[in-house]
């Protein structure tokens, strides 16, 4: 309980109420090393270590595989291939096209072909090298362009739009076309993929998996083992980061560990090292973005055709929904009356790309933000003016290309507030003045916006469950289907329960997610973890509270509305009963103090065949101004200052939300600046360790990074305590860094041409663009 001074005198309130800044429940354990990850769990003495052997070819038939020497190697206990699978050889989320082990055909370098279980990981790894595998190489498609040309896709091209783009483009007074590339991104979670399986009685198995989606891992392990789902329990206390990379991929590793455990009767662990993790697991989709835009002399878009093509890799995975989300965000905050969006989902002989923070949204959104700057340059206007005239607003300008009405548009207000607080106009003039005097160092500045839709666009996934127990001593056990990956979901849901019972948050035990407590859950993804699980936990807590209220009213003979919960006590009329005492009395009175809770998101619907509907309950908004300094002789740059204004509604926990905004922004900055995935001609990833793949370091954090929550923020929809999701939207605030770099590059050619940058804007890419604008300025 904490005391608080108010005008009415001192009132006490519970510790950890909603809307209060509270540190992450495991923060101290994260830094001290006391937080237990799967690899920290004590290893049983007969435990086996698993190594998965990988394909060396991007596309080939396996003509022969002799594993005799592998099986005979020192320390090896068992070797498993496709033939050893008792159930189905598939670990795909829905499409049925992700074999656990290649069965005669390999389709990417890194595809598992068999696994070795041995007494040590060194022995398993050494044994795998003894395999004799004969391949017959087949032609491989490894790039977007090659797949597009060959018509190789994981599903047919999708189209979304409204109005008549072709006619509108023809009638437009101004018109621009362009094309650029957007790179992929490795998740680089600190804890790599890992699974630990323990055999149980009757062929059952208990799997500890670093997964955002325990129910799917459970389902797929059962599918591979050929058992009913109830033979498999999946548990995860926390992940050392997921970022979307642990939405579908963990099933593969969990299934291998479970197979070995069931087959040998010994516990088994599979932990990938960093190189293998980067080679074997899918990433953010890289895109090619082509546009044709028409606009009036104010820069208002009058017609637009967008064509996006993404590299999905060898299988379907979540690529349909990811590419749909790219289309859903191709408008960002801007009204497009006449637009056609085409989206190609290409099948290539590279690892199957997957969910990554923003789920395709960042790629779609970066496209139109770049187009805004192209239009501004063409008209000689400040890009902010062009953004302003294109904003959604008013009844005739509020329908998205997918037919949803934008009802909660705060983008104009956010833009104005940030432009003022960050002194955008004064600083833009300052940048121009600096550049006029500085021949080699150039500055750039950009303000970009974010509008991000919240809900799974696959409607049925928007459901969640929770389980709450109140013990007879008044302490509470909280469980729900959401998973903790560092984002602070667990503490937020605990705050919701603390608020409802009006007890201090430290009386609530946060517990590991397990399929044995809450069944049939969705992945913790789409930023909706706290929206969904917060509501489900609230539902459970309310059920118990209603029973306690009824019990107290009866026992103390008063109307139910005279029973209130406040400050760790229950008040019955004027009688004060500590919460713990009432819990004991209720137990003795034979009242059930355990309840499940459930929630499903209202209002949403979507017709995918027409790409029309209301896929989102609401939108999250944010805005950022970034200022950068580039060295035109080397292409190196520094992000000097960033100002962010972001809306999290009535934040459940402003401290956690600010952390998410900072982390998301920096991760987005990495995607657009230093993180470059390089595949060679054979489709082999050449950047599979921190030596060649550079994520942002502490020293890359902008020296001035001002993050403010939008103070008037309040969700117009009845979400949990009127909060808004925060996990993914801030990622796209980094678009401002990319456009600030492009602005600085343009300065190198005296703003005569605008730099068309491909992402990531590595120093090499920046230098190329500088040379190009300089050349064009001379002509
Ligand atoms: N924050 C941390 N620290 N670690 C993560 O892995 N994943 C992000 C985001 N923030 C992630 C994170 C992604 S991709 C999503 S979808 C959300 O958190 C998921 O959690 P939420 O729904 O509870 O916000
Ligand atoms: Mo996040 S990409 O939805 O896991």
């Amino acid at each position: 309980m904490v005391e608080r001074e108010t005008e009415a005198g001192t009132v006490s309130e519970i510790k950890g109420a909603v809307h209060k800044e509270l540190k992450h429940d495991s923060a101290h354990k994260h830094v001290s090393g006391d937080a237990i990850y799967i690899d920290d769990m004590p290893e049983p003495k007969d435990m086996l270590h698993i190594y998965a052997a990988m394909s060396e070819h991007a596309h080939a038939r396996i003509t022969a595989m002799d594993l005799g020497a592998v099986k005979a190697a020192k320390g090896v206990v068992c070797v498993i291939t496709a033939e050893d699978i008792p159930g189905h050889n598939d670990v795909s989320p829905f499409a049925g096209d992700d074999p656990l082990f290649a069965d005669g055909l390999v389709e990417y370098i890194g595809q598992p072909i068999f696994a070795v279980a041995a007494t040590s990981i060194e022995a398993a790894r050494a044994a795998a090298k003894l395999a004799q595998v004969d391949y017959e190489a087949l032609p491989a498609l490894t790039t977007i362009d090659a797949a597009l040309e060959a018509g190789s896709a994981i599903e047919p091209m999708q189209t979304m739009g409204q109005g008549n783009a072709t006619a509108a483009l023809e009638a437009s007074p101004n018109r621009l076309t362009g094309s650029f590339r957007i790179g992929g991104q490795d998740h680089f979670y600190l804890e790599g993929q890992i699974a630990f399986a323990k055999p149980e009685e009757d062929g059952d198995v208990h799997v500890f998996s670093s997964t955002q989606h325990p129910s799917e891992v459970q389902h797929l392990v059962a599918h591979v083992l050929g058992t009913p789902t109830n033979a498999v329990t999946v548990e995860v206390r926390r992940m050392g980061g997921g970022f979307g990379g642990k939405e579908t991929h963990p099933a593969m590793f969990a299934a291998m560990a479970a197979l070995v455990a069931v087959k040998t009767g010994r516990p088994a662990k599979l932990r990938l090292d960093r190189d293998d993790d980067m080679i074997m697991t899918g990433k953010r989709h890289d895109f090619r973005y082509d546009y044709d835009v028409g606009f009036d002399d104010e820069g208002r878009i009058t017609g637009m055709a967008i064509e996006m093509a993404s590299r999905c890799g060898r299988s379907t995975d979540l690529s349909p929904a990811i590419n749909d989300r790219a289309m859903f965000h191709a408008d960002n905050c801007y009204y497009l009356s006449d637009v056609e969006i085409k989206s190609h989902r290409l099948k290539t002989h590279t690892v199957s790309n997957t969910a990554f923070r923003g789920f395709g949204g960042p790629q779609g959104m970066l496209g139109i933000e770049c187009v805004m700057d192209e239009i501004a340059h063409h008209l000689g206007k400040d890009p902010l003016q062009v953004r302003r005239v294109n904003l959604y607003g008013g009844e005739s300008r509020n329908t998205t290309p997918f037919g949803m009405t934008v009802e909660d548009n705060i983008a104009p207000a956010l833009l104005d507030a940030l432009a003022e607080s960050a002194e955008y106009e004064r600083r833009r003039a300052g940048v121009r003045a600096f550049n006029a005097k500085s021949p080699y160092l150039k500055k750039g500045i950009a303000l970009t916006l974010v509008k991000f839709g919240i809900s799974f666009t696959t409607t049925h996934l928007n459901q969640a469950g929770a389980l709450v127990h109140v013990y007879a001593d008044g302490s509470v056990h909280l469980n729900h289907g959401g998973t903790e990956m560092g984002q602070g979901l667990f503490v937020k849901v605990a705050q919701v329960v603390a608020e409802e019972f009006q007890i201090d948050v430290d009386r609530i035990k946060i517990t590991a997610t397990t399929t044995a407590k809450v069944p049939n859950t969705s992945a913790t993804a789409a930023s909706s973890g706290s929206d969904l699980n917060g509501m489900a936990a609230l539902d459970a807590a309310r059920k118990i509270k209603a029973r306690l209220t009824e019990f107290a009213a009866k026992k103390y003979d008063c109307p139910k509305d005279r029973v209130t919960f406040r400050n760790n006590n229950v008040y019955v009329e004027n009688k004060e009963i500590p919460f713990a005492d009432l819990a004991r009395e209720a137990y003795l009175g034979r009242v059930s103090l355990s309840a499940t809770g459930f929630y499903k998101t209202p209002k949403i619907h979507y017709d995918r065949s027409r790409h029309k509907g209301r896929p989102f309950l609401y939108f999250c908004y944010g805005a950022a101004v970034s200022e950068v300094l580039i060295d035109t002789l080397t292409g190196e740059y520094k992000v000097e200052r960033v100002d962010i204004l972001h809306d999290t509604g009535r934040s459940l926990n402003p401290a956690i939300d600010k952390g998410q905004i900072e982390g998301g922004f920096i991760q987005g900055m990495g995607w657009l600046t230093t993180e470059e995935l390089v595949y060679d001609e054979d489709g082999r990833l050449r950047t599979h360790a921190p030596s060649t793949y550079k994520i942002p370091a502490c020293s890359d954090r902008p020296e001035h990074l001002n993050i403010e929550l939008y103070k008037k923020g309040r969700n117009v929809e009845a979400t949990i305590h009127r909060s808004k999701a925060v996990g993914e939207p801030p990622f796209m605030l980094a678009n401002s860094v990319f456009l600030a770099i492009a602005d600085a590059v343009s300065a190198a050619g005296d703003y005569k041409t605008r730099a068309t940058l491909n992402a990531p804007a590595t120093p090499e890419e920046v230098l190329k663009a500088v040379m190009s604008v300089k050349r064009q300025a001379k002509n």
Side-chain angles (χ1 to χ4, degrees), residues 472-496:
D473 68 349
S475 66
V476 176
H477 176 104
L478 168 62
N479 195 269
H480 52 79
T483 56
E484 178 64 44
M485 57 196 100
Q487 86 278 38
L489 172 65
F490 282 10
V491 70
K492 283 183 171 178
V493 179
Q495 284 174 271
V496 168

Side-chain angles (χ1 to χ4, degrees), residues 415-566:
L415 186 157
D416 287 345
L418 181 67
E420 196 182 317
S421 66
E423 298 185 283
Y424 172 82
E425 254 145 56
R426 185 189 62 78
R427 285 171 54 209
R428 184 164 187 269
V431 162
R432 298 272 163 147
F434 172 91
N435 289 340
K437 285 203 219 114
S438 172
Y440 301 119
L441 297 179
K442 298 286 182 190
K443 286 190 176 194
I445 189 168
L447 187 156
T448 61
L449 293 165
V450 170
K451 162 176 140 285
F452 192 79
I454 300 300
S455 293
F456 288 98
T457 60
T458 304
T459 306
H460 79 264
L461 297 176
N462 295 284
Q463 56 171 310
L467 177 67
V468 174
H469 306 319
V470 176
Y471 293 105
D473 68 349
S475 66
V476 176
H477 176 104
L478 168 62
N479 195 269
H480 52 79
T483 56
E484 178 64 44
M485 57 196 100
Q487 86 278 38
L489 172 65
F490 282 10
V491 70
K492 283 183 171 178
V493 179
Q495 284 174 271
V496 168
V497 173
E499 178 80 34
E500 194 57 25
F501 285 135
Q502 282 290 303
I503 57 176
D504 291 344
V505 72
D506 48 24
R507 297 172 73 170
I508 295 167
K509 179 67 75 186
I510 285 170
T511 61
T513 315
T514 163
T515 54
K517 286 186 192 166
V518 178
N520 310 321
T521 56
S522 295
T524 304
S527 303
S528 48
S530 50
D531 283 16
L532 297 173
N533 296 287
M535 280 293 200
L538 180 69
D539 182 43
R542 281 192 171 152
K543 285 181 188 166
I544 298 172
K545 194 173 158 185
R547 289 180 211 147
L548 285 170
T549 302
E550 189 172 322
F551 169 76
K554 211 180 245 164
K555 173 157 183 188
Y556 296 99
D557 193 24
C558 78
K560 275 192 274 186
D561 61 6
R562 302 296 295 160
V563 180
T564 52
F565 290 65
R566 195 156 36 88

Side-chain angles (χ1 to χ4, degrees), residues 212 243-245 247 355-359 485 524-527 728:
Q212 294 171 242
F243 306 113
E247 217 180 309
F356 196 141
R357 207 170 196 167
F359 207 75
M485 57 196 100
T524 304
S527 303
E728 295 165 288

